[in-house]
Amino acid sequence: MNPIFRVISIFFVSISLIGCAGLGSMKEVEFQTTSSPDKSTVNIVRRAVFLGDGAKVEVWDGDKFIGTLSASNLLQYQAEPGEHTFMVYVQGSWGAAKGQLKPGKTYYLKFNMPWGGGVHLGVAESTDSRIPEWNTMTTVTIDNASQKDIPEKYILEAREILQRVEDGSKDATPITDKNAL
């Protein structure tokens, strides 16, 4: 595919997605700097980069929908410690990160849309110099009081991707001890 045509196509797709509604009703909350001793705090970061910023990113913990992420937002999620596969979906593409979460620890996952297309869910090391900046982003969480039911077709698709991660046919970025704060 011609590189110029690809860039133009991505531009028009992203422009057409400006303002697309997400699956989740989100609310702004105060950023929590520490994790409770019996939970793991997972922060999913989405920086503003212009290209594709209008598209909403759907975020999953396995087959459980945990929120919709807009550009310039950080989704803060309290997870039970243990094995988790986090997944993000936008524009027909999925990214995943998988690992063992420790109680009382905090993790940072970063949504990325590489220029070549697709979606990637990165995991920051605990020493990442961008973390203080991310902590100042608009923090959101799912608003369970006004949440609508998630259509079954989305849950089934998330389960399919989760199965692909489990059987090794879909790559997932590892979440390890070096990622825990």
Side-chain angles (χ1 to χ4, degrees):
M1 179 183 252
N2 182 335
I4 293 172
F5 180 74
R6 181 181 295 188
V7 170
I8 292 170
S9 296
I10 291 171
F11 176 77
F12 282 109
V13 167
S14 64
I15 292 298
S16 69
L17 291 171
I18 291 175
C20 289
L23 293 175
S25 298
M26 305 303 291
K27 64 180 178 181
E28 192 171 325
V29 295
E30 185 176 331
F31 179 81
Q32 300 299 308
T33 56
T34 58
S35 187
S36 69
D38 62 335
K39 296 283 186 182
S40 302
T41 301
V42 180
N43 296 305
I44 301 104
V45 177
R46 180 169 181 210
R47 300 284 313 263
V49 294
F50 178 66
L51 188 62
D53 280 355
K56 304 295 184 189
V57 175
E58 308 303 348
V59 185
W60 299 79
D61 178 0
D63 64 356
K64 177 185 176 190
F65 177 74
I66 61 172
T68 298
L69 192 56
S70 298
S72 299
N73 281 203
L74 177 147
L75 188 153
Q76 197 162 56
Y77 174 68
Q78 300 301 314
E80 294 296 325
E83 185 78 21
H84 288 264
T85 301
F86 292 97
M87 303 181 302
V88 290
Y89 170 84
V90 67
Q91 299 177 354
S93 295
W94 289 84
K98 178 181 177 179
Q100 186 78 22
L101 303 182
K102 307 287 186 201
K105 297 294 183 179
T106 299
Y107 302 84
Y108 287 82
L109 310 181
K110 186 175 180 297
F111 170 80
N112 297 301
M113 283 181 68
W115 275 101
V119 171
H120 180 258
L121 187 57
V123 183
E125 291 191 12
S126 61
T127 57
D128 194 307
S129 62
R130 300 171 294 179
I131 290 174
E133 177 190 344
W134 293 342
N135 291 347
T136 65
M137 295 174 71
T138 300
T139 305
V140 296
T141 190
I142 198 157
D143 185 356
N144 289 318
S146 64
Q147 186 59 34
K148 298 174 275 187
D149 289 336
I150 303 302
E152 186 70 18
K153 70 179 186 174
Y154 296 111
I155 296 169
L156 293 174
E157 189 171 349
R159 287 179 181 156
E160 178 184 325
I161 298 301
L162 182 60
Q163 181 58 48
R164 289 182 51 209
V165 169
E166 294 302 317
D167 69 22
S169 64
K170 169 79 177 147
D171 289 335
T173 307
I175 303 171
T176 66
D177 288 344
K178 70 180 180 180
N179 305 117
L181 280 98

